[in-house]
Amino acid sequence: MKPGTPEEEWREDCAPRRTLDLFGTKWLSMILHTLHVRHGGRARTGVLLRSLPDISKKMLTQTLRDMEERELVIRHVHGTIPPAVEYELTPLGLRFIEPIELLYDWARRNADALDALPRGARSRW
C-alpha cells in the first residue's frame, strides 16, 4: 500500500481507529474528564466513585488499572492504614483531555440531536 491511500489511512493500526478503540468504553473518557475538570487532575478512588454516578467499584477499578497500564494515570499509594490510593493524570493523560472536552462540549450544545435519535439507539443510556 502506498502511504496516503485510503487503504493505508484506514488500516487497523491507524490513528483514528486507535483513538476510537481507546475511547470505546464510556468510563475511560468520563474518568479522564472527571479527574481533570472536577478534581484538578488528582483524586482518591472513593472520591472518583462518588463523582461518577452509576459506575460500580469493580468497573472503576478495572478502568483505572487499564488507564494505568496505558500510562494515562499514575497510581499513588499512601502508607496510611488503611492505605489511601490516589490517581493522577500523567502528561500523556492530559493530552487526551482536549478531544474529550471538545466532544463533551459538542454533546452539551447538541443534546436535542441526541434526544432525536430513535429510542433503540438511545437504549444504552
Side-chain angles (χ1 to χ4, degrees), residues 37-101:
V37 171
R38 295 187 66 191
H39 304 295
R42 189 175 183 139
R44 290 178 60 171
T45 310
V47 170
L48 284 171
L49 193 59
R50 289 186 296 277
S51 298
L52 294 160
D54 302 326
I55 193 170
S56 68
K57 186 174 183 179
K58 178 182 176 184
M59 182 55 70
L60 177 63
T61 301
Q62 182 179 320
T63 307
L64 285 168
R65 284 184 184 150
D66 179 52
M67 292 171 68
E68 185 180 12
E69 187 177 300
R70 294 175 187 238
E71 299 181 3
L72 299 172
V73 296
I74 189 166
R75 183 175 185 255
H76 300 280
V77 180
H78 301 280
T80 59
I81 299 178
V85 178
E86 202 170 41
Y87 289 89
E88 180 179 15
L89 289 170
T90 64
L92 180 61
L94 285 167
R95 291 181 67 184
F96 287 95
I97 296 299
E98 180 183 6
I100 291 169
E101 294 308 315

